[in-house]
Amino acid sequence: MATIHLPKDRSSPPALSYLTDRTSLQKRVILVIKLRKSGFIMDTRQLRTLLAIASHGTFAQAADIVGLTPSAVSQQINALEQELRTTLFDRSSRPPRPTPHGMQVIEVARAILQLEEDTKSSLRGDQIAGTLMLGSVRSSALNLLPKAIVQMRNQYPLLKTNLRVSLSSTLIADVAAGRLDAAVVAEHVGFPNALRWSPFLREPLWLIAPKGTRSSDSIHLLNTSPYVRFRSTVPLANLIDTEISRLGCVTQDIAEIDTIGAIVTCVRQGLGVSVVPHVALQEPEDLELVRLPFGQPQINRQIGIVERTVSPRGEIIARLHSVLADLCRAHGVERKRD
């Protein structure tokens, strides 16, 4: 059992602005030191129960997860509320919902328990353990992640992975704030100074056309063939559109689709031509597609891992980068040494 100390002489909840700041391991350590010095005991078992309620929605379901009775769960939360001198759940709703202070304490609880797990792993001398909070954009490169996670799990049985898929801007903000350990995103302009981005994939873009297409002139095909446009807010879509404009092509758009996999399927069925990254052409039937270099010279795109420059998960992230680069084969990029 770990103990956290909070001041007893406050009539309102402690200022939580610094509690929710998780931008670095050092700040999280400072958080715990500040709490320990102030003389108020909080049992981390209560925090685990709190997170179980937040994750599963009800006290009864949380009781099953933490191995307690619903009555014992209620007692733990009541004790925690008394210790913090605030109400964590609105019990007038069914199921009870976290109050604004409750949401803040839930965020702090995640930080404290993650730090506890990191510390235990470090003291064991086993850095490849604990839970890796990982994010990824909705990219064709997302197909690589399940394989990489399985390999990591097989090599490091004590390592758990929690994967969340979202927009790159959201993921970058979550990494900076400490809500994620790392995220797989495309190359960006202007990463915050507290973050580092390391590419593991550098791949070419291809103009693809249906089987039997005779022309080998990519400019001609872009100007004259029905075009299936990748319409999305992700950097890849902008990269493709910018190069088409630079080439002076006027496409004959027949469809706008927001997923690369669906675009490849449309081209296979003969709907038109399009531009996709190399990683999207991994199925046996893709070998029948006509594939021409896109851009003059051929355009490449990069996918990498963004992480905090100072991270307790640095060693794990380095191993994940290596696994992903290996899966990319000829297009994999080794991680630069610090």
Side-chain angles (χ1 to χ4, degrees):
M1 179 186 77
T3 59
I4 305 299
H5 300 263
L6 293 177
K8 287 186 176 180
D9 57 352
R10 295 189 181 183
S11 59
S12 60
L16 291 174
S17 59
Y18 72 88
L19 299 184
T20 55
D21 186 352
R22 300 174 58 208
T23 55
S24 70
L25 176 60
Q26 288 94 330
K27 288 186 178 180
R28 291 163 65 192
V29 172
I30 291 170
L31 157 66
V32 175
I33 292 171
K34 285 182 177 180
L35 295 175
R36 284 183 181 276
K37 286 182 177 179
S38 52
F40 195 89
I41 298 177
M42 181 194 305
D43 188 343
T44 53
R45 290 176 297 186
Q46 295 172 336
L47 302 185
R48 296 186 190 282
T49 299
L50 177 65
L51 292 190
I53 297 170
S55 298
H56 298 279
T58 69
F59 283 34
Q61 288 179 313
D64 291 336
I65 297 300
V66 298
L68 297 173
T69 65
S71 175
V73 166
S74 294
Q75 290 174 7
Q76 281 197 352
I77 297 304
N78 287 335
L80 185 56
E81 289 177 326
Q82 291 175 15
E83 300 286 3
L84 294 175
R85 294 187 176 88
T86 190
T87 300
L88 300 179
F89 288 93
D90 177 6
R91 291 168 174 79
S92 66
S93 64
R94 289 291 180 269
R97 291 181 299 181
T99 63
H101 278 148
M103 294 299 295
Q104 288 182 294
V105 174
I106 286 168
E107 182 68 16
V108 174
R110 289 195 178 99
I112 292 172
L113 294 176
Q114 183 67 64
L115 179 58
E116 180 190 23
E117 187 175 5
D118 292 344
T119 302
K120 288 179 179 178
S121 297
S122 179
L123 293 175
R124 287 197 306 264
D126 182 4
Q127 293 288 345
I128 312 301
T131 301
L132 180 66
M133 303 297 294
L134 185 63
S136 176
V137 292
R138 291 181 178 87
S139 163
S140 48
L142 181 58
N143 297 334
L144 299 170
L145 269 180
K147 296 178 182 179
I149 290 172
V150 170
Q151 283 194 28
M152 293 286 287
R153 188 172 61 198
N154 290 339
Q155 290 178 3
Y156 311 110
L158 297 178
L159 178 65
K160 300 175 184 178
T161 304
N162 187 310
L163 176 63
R164 174 151 51 90
V165 177
S166 187
L167 299 175
S168 58
S169 57
T170 301
L171 296 173
I172 292 169
D174 284 348
V175 172
R179 291 184 289 270
L180 291 174
D181 295 310
V184 173
V185 299
E187 187 174 12
H188 268 64
V189 176
F191 281 105
N193 291 334
L195 301 181
R196 60 174 287 182
W197 179 82
S198 304
F200 63 81
L201 170 66
R202 186 175 188 272
E203 62 175 345
L205 301 186
W206 299 99
L207 174 70
I208 57 173
K211 176 183 177 180
T213 300
R214 295 184 179 181
S215 176
S216 59
D217 184 339
S218 60
I219 302 295
H220 174 74
L221 287 174
L222 284 169
N223 279 316
T224 61
S225 302
Y227 181 68
V228 182
R229 184 176 296 276
F230 180 38
R231 178 68 71 189
S232 176
T233 59
V234 302
L236 175 60
N238 182 64
L239 180 65
I240 294 170
D241 289 347
T242 299
E243 182 63 11
I244 288 175
S245 178
R246 193 187 70 81
L247 293 172
C249 297
V250 179
T251 58
Q252 312 299 313
D253 290 16
I254 192 173
E256 293 183 350
I257 300 177
D258 63 357
T259 60
I260 292 293
I263 288 175
V264 174
T265 298
C266 289
V267 175
R268 284 198 209 114
Q269 299 301 320
L271 186 62
V273 303
S274 192
V275 178
V276 299
H278 181 84
V279 74
L281 303 173
Q282 303 302 311
E283 300 299 326
E285 53 266 38
D286 295 334
L287 296 174
E288 297 182 346
L289 294 173
V290 173
R291 188 183 308 188
L292 301 171
F294 171 68
Q296 295 179 349
Q298 187 173 16
I299 297 294
N300 291 279
R301 70 98 175 243
Q302 294 192 106
I303 297 288
I305 297 177
V306 61
E307 62 186 292
R308 294 183 294 284
T309 52
V310 179
S311 170
R313 296 300 196 188
E315 179 64 21
I316 300 176
I317 296 167
R319 303 288 180 94
L320 176 63
H321 185 285
S322 178
V323 170
L324 285 166
D326 288 344
L327 289 172
C328 296
R329 300 181 181 177
H331 302 294
V333 180
E334 291 186 4
R335 181 183 173 98
K336 291 182 178 179
R337 296 183 182 274
D338 296 330

